[in-house]
Amino acid sequence: MEQETLFTSSKWDILKCLEAGKKSPLDLAKETNTSVANISQQLRLLELAGFVKSERISNRDKGLPRILYSVTENHSYIVASTPGFVEKRFLKLMDY
């Protein structure tokens, strides 16, 4: 998947919401003012790209979440441009 398609406003909004901690698709839908179906689709793409991870929780109560999502590892998307040079790169950041 191209990185540019990962950085649509809806996916960016989801990542911004998840920076505070684990959330369910319902929580994300409320915070971003969109449908749970849309959030679920965006989360699947973000998970395939390695930006978010899902965690199943044992909850059988109706109306309560069964899956929580959170941000995975540290990443950076860098765009550099000067006359004669334009480059974009997606990097996984490492601890030193």
Side-chain angles (χ1 to χ4, degrees):
M1 177 183 304
E2 283 290 318
Q3 283 90 12
E4 288 85 3
T5 61
L6 286 173
F7 297 106
T8 61
S9 63
S10 60
K11 290 179 189 76
W12 183 251
D13 291 343
I14 291 169
L15 289 172
K16 290 297 288 177
C17 290
L18 290 175
E19 76 179 338
K22 298 177 183 179
K23 298 195 177 178
S24 72
L26 182 60
D27 293 334
L28 291 166
K30 287 178 184 176
E31 286 185 38
T32 59
N33 197 29
T34 189
S35 69
V36 174
N38 181 43
I39 290 293
S40 295
Q41 180 182 15
Q42 303 303 325
L43 284 168
R44 276 192 296 276
L45 294 172
L46 287 168
E47 190 169 22
L48 284 171
F51 281 103
V52 300
K53 62 183 175 181
S54 60
E55 173 187 344
R56 289 203 175 273
I57 56 175
S58 59
N59 188 359
R60 298 185 187 268
D61 295 335
K62 187 174 183 176
L64 294 178
R66 294 186 182 128
I67 299 177
L68 295 178
Y69 288 86
S70 59
V71 175
T72 57
E73 300 166 341
N74 299 327
H75 294 93
S76 181
Y77 187 67
I78 298 171
V79 176
S81 65
T82 63
F85 177 81
V86 176
E87 183 71 34
K88 60 185 174 188
R89 189 154 304 199
F90 177 69
L91 302 170
K92 179 178 172 185
L93 301 178
M94 300 167 47
D95 294 334
Y96 289 99

